[in-house]
Amino acid sequence: MRASLLLLLALARALELPLFPLRKAPRCPTDRLSLNLFEPRYVALAERVLASDGVFAGLHCEGPHVLPRGRGPATPLVAEGGVGSVFAVDDWERDGSVVRIAARAFG
């Protein structure tokens, strides 16, 4: 893993930043991110972000998040040289059981 990824993980732990696994990684610090969250664990994580200062970490994860035919737990894999950023929420909305978040990267 790159030093920057290790630093992001250490920062997320030290500041207790919620950490979202991302399929698409931002390419530069000014990139924007849109999340449509519907899984209960990610909705709960989003509610934690929104109840606090609106800052969270995102980590690009490789591989499938859902195993074939839904068997077994899905564990995102962090590839060597992975990419991560810290984000700030710009806007959000809740539509039933779905939470939509618009955020910008700043790290």
Side-chain angles (χ1 to χ4, degrees):
M1 285 188 206
R2 286 189 331 201
S4 60
L5 179 57
L6 294 174
L7 181 61
L8 176 68
L9 291 172
L11 178 67
R13 251 186 245 120
L15 298 177
E16 296 184 13
L17 288 177
L19 181 63
F20 283 94
L22 304 173
R23 284 186 174 236
K24 294 181 181 177
R27 285 166 272 181
C28 66
T30 57
D31 277 357
R32 301 197 35 86
L33 176 71
S34 295
L35 297 174
N36 292 307
L37 308 166
F38 54 88
E39 288 185 44
R41 62 184 169 166
Y42 296 127
V43 169
L45 197 55
E47 289 171 344
R48 180 176 159 206
V49 169
L50 297 171
S52 65
D53 57 5
V55 175
F56 63 94
L59 185 63
H60 180 243
C61 296
E62 295 291 330
H65 291 264
V66 178
L67 300 178
R69 297 187 191 133
R71 294 186 198 146
T75 305
L77 302 174
V78 178
E80 187 167 331
V83 177
S85 293
V86 176
F87 296 89
V89 173
D90 284 332
D91 194 19
W92 69 276
E93 69 175 317
R94 182 163 192 133
D95 183 10
S97 61
V98 176
V99 175
R100 293 183 183 88
I101 292 178
R104 69 186 181 294
F106 64 89

